[in-house]
Amino acid sequence: MNRESHDKVTAGHLRRLAYLYVRQSTLRQVFENTESTKRQYALRERAVALGWPLDRVLVIDSDLGRSGADSDREGFQKLVAAVGMGEVGVVLGLEVSRLARNSADWHRLLEICALTDTLILDEDGLYDPGHFNDRLLLGLKGTMSEAELHVLRARLLGGQRAKASRGELE
């Protein structure tokens, strides 16, 4: 973690909780992509390195096996509510696609974080959604995440259509 990241964390942030959001899109990924899940849980140590005691780093993993495109994620809703209540100093996620894969959810979270002075940390760095440059970068990351999901779906459907046209679709 670089010095600039440490400069963003204030005593006010540290008085609040750190929330780590852990998610995999499908149950198959949960069971087969265990390294991703381990990397997500390991972000607790990043919060500790920034000054949060381990017992003040709360983990939300109730959305494991749920797509980020699904707006009806209990864990995500709990996270947004806690941020909105001003209880959270930092939201941690391996990458923004773990938080949300649709712009509405992502930008709503960014807006609430900016209003409540809540930081966002991912594997690439620490961001303050209240600062223009950080918010711009987070917005771009969210847009790219949503576009990635669209491209993946298009490839999957294209493959299915090609198999169907050859009579090979099971």
Side-chain angles (χ1 to χ4, degrees):
M1 191 84 45
N2 63 29
R3 177 87 177 122
E4 182 182 333
S5 295
H6 285 288
D7 292 343
K8 291 180 182 178
V9 179
T10 67
H13 294 117
L14 294 173
R15 279 193 291 275
R16 294 180 273 158
L17 299 168
Y19 268 58
L20 170 59
Y21 185 72
V22 177
R23 189 187 61 74
Q24 292 280 65
S25 297
T26 66
L27 287 176
R28 182 177 180 181
Q29 287 179 342
V30 172
F31 292 112
E32 293 180 5
N33 301 344
T34 57
E35 190 61 31
S36 175
T37 306
K38 287 177 189 175
R39 288 174 53 217
Q40 290 181 64
Y41 282 111
L43 282 176
R44 288 181 288 204
E45 301 309 317
R46 297 272 301 272
V48 171
L50 287 170
W52 275 271
L54 190 55
D55 66 336
R56 304 227 352 116
V57 180
L58 302 182
V59 176
I60 297 177
D61 55 10
S62 57
D63 292 339
L64 279 168
R66 308 268 325 255
S67 170
D70 182 358
S71 292
D72 189 33
R73 291 174 285 139
E74 179 183 316
F76 183 75
Q77 291 174 1
K78 178 180 177 183
L79 171 68
V80 172
V83 170
M85 297 293 293
E87 300 169 359
V88 183
V90 65
V91 173
L92 302 106
L94 189 62
E95 55 192 47
V96 296
S97 67
R98 294 300 111 213
L99 295 167
R101 284 244 194 201
N102 69 61
S103 289
D105 285 349
W106 177 238
H107 287 284
R108 186 176 309 113
L109 177 62
L110 287 182
E111 183 66 27
I112 296 169
C113 285
L115 291 171
T116 59
D117 188 29
T118 301
L119 303 172
I120 295 178
L121 182 141
D122 70 8
E123 196 169 48
D124 295 326
L126 181 67
Y127 310 95
D128 182 346
H131 290 141
F132 175 77
N133 285 334
D134 286 359
R135 188 177 180 120
L136 183 64
L137 183 56
L138 287 167
L140 180 59
K141 284 182 161 209
T143 299
M144 290 174 61
S145 176
E146 186 176 39
E148 178 184 36
L149 185 61
H150 173 77
V151 169
L152 290 172
R153 280 188 187 140
R155 285 182 188 158
L156 179 64
L157 289 173
Q160 288 173 339
R161 287 184 184 129
K163 279 186 170 186
S165 70
R166 293 190 308 268
E168 298 173 4
L169 185 63
E170 294 180 20

